[in-house]
Amino acid sequence: MTARLGEGATRTETDALGSLEIPADAYWGVHTARAMENFPIAARPISVYPEFVRAFACVKQAAARANLEIGALDAERSGLIDAACEEIKAGELLDEFTVGVVQGGAGTSTNMNVNEVVTNRALELGGWEKGDYAHLNPNDHTNRSQSTNDTYPTAVKIALAFSLTSLTSELSLLAEAFAAKGAEFAHIVKVGRTQLQDAVPMTLGQEFTAFAVTLREDIDRLDEAVGLLGEVNMGATAIGTGINAPVGYRDAVIRHLRTVTGLDLVTAGDLVESTSDTGAFVTFSAALKRSALKLSKIAGDLRLLSSGPQAGLGEIGLPPRQAGSSIMPGKVNPVIPEAVTQVAFAVAGADVTVSMAVEAGQLQLNAFEPIIAHSLFQSITWLERACRTFRVNCVEGITANEARLADTVARSVTVITALAPVIGYASAAALAKEALAGDVRVADLVESRGLLEFGELDALLTPSRLTGV
C-alpha cells in the first residue's frame, strides 16, 4: 500500500498554491495530495473501479501516441508515458489511484491523479527519481493537448463499455440458468396468477422460461445504450474549442484510442455541444435501472413462490443459504432474492442521482460528472455481482414442489375457463362459484350435471390444452 501523508521519508512538490511534502515512494503528487485532503467523503478511492483506471490509462496512452505522431511530443517522453500506461492497463499501481470518487472540480483531481502516477512511473522507467518533473512533467507532457474536460468523460464512457461486457456476461449466464430450470420444469402444471389471484393453468417451465427471455431482452437494451457512449470529445480540451490541441491531434488521438481500447469510438461532430452534454449517461443509467427493476421483479416472484414452507405458496424451494432467525429455530429466509432486490433499490436511486447531476450542468461544462461516474460504476458493479450470486446461490439450486402443485391444479376452479366456450360464460361462472363454496372439483360438477361427456371433458382439460404447450 502507498504511504499516506505524514508517514516516512518525503519529497517536496509544488503547485500554484505552494509546496507540500509527498511520501517519497508515492507515485501520486501534490495535486492528488490536495484532493485527498479536500475530499475525504465517500471513503472510496477511484481504484475501487479498476476499469475506470484502465480506461484512463488508455486515454493517456492514445494521447501520447497522437502527440508523437503530430510532433507535439518527442519519442523518448512519448515512449515512457506509453510504457507506464501499458503497466497501469495491466492492473499495476492500482493502489496509487487514491482520490475519492466524490470530488469537486469536474474530475480534475482524477485526471491529475492519473497524470502524476503515469508521469512518476515513466520517470522511474527512464532512470529518474519520482517528482523529477524537469525531465517529464504531469501537465506539460502527460497531459499535453488535453483537458480534464475531454479526458474525464471519455474515460468514463470507455470504462462503462469495458464494464458492460462483464455485466452482460453475468446476465446471460443468469438467463441460461433460468432457461435450464424452464426445461427441467416443463412437465409440471401449475396455476398461474394475475393480481395475486388464481388464473388459468400454465407450466412451471413456462414461468421460468419467461424469466430467461426477459433477461435476454435487457442484454439487447444495454447493448443499445452503450452504443451511445461511443461518441467522445477527445480534442475538445477545455470547452470544445480545441485550444492547445495542435492541428492533426483530434484525428490522431481518436484513431489511436480505437486501437488501444478495441472500441468503435468516434469524435463528436460538435465538440462544444459534446463537452457540455451528458445525455448519453442518462440513457445508459435508465437501461441499468430497467435491468435492475426486472431482476427485482423476478426476485420478488421467487420469494412469493417459495413462501412458507407451510403457510405460504410453497410451490418451489430455494436453496437454504443461512439460518434465518436469531430467535426462531429452523427458519430459513430467501436472503439471496432479498439482496438482489436491495441492489435494485440502489440502482434506481443512483439513476435519480444521475438525472439530477445531468440537469445541473451549466453552460459549457457539467461539473458533476464525478457523481455521475460513481453512480454508474457502482450500479454496474453491484448488478454484475448480484446476477452472479443470484445464479450461483439461488437459481441453480431451485427445486419444484410437484406434489403441492399437482394438488393445487386438481382443486383449482380456474380450469373452468377452458370450458366457457362450450358451456357458456354465465354457466361457467355459476359453476365456479358453486365449486368454491362446496370445495368440489369443477370437473366433477360439470360431469354430474351432464353438461359434457367424460371424454369431451377430459379432452378439454388436458394439460397441453390448458397450458398451450
Side-chain angles (χ1 to χ4, degrees), residues 167-177 215-216 219 387 391:
L167 173 58
T168 54
S169 176
E170 285 297 337
L171 271 171
S172 181
L173 290 171
L174 181 59
E176 289 174 13
L215 291 177
R216 286 170 177 154
I219 294 173
C387 286
R391 170 175 57 87

Side-chain angles (χ1 to χ4, degrees), residues 47-113:
S47 59
V48 298
Y49 304 124
E51 294 289 31
F52 187 31
V53 174
R54 175 187 166 206
F56 234 124
C58 288
V59 170
K60 296 298 173 180
Q61 186 175 46
R65 293 180 181 183
N67 282 320
L68 173 64
E69 180 181 323
I70 65 173
L73 200 62
D74 62 85
E76 182 183 23
R77 289 188 175 98
S78 175
L80 291 172
I81 292 170
D82 196 317
C85 289
E86 194 65 31
E87 291 183 355
I88 293 167
K89 284 166 54 183
E92 296 183 31
L93 303 180
L94 187 60
D95 287 343
E96 299 296 324
F97 296 90
T98 56
V99 299
V101 293
V102 178
Q103 57 188 253
T108 298
S109 296
T110 296
N111 186 40
M112 287 308 303
N113 191 172

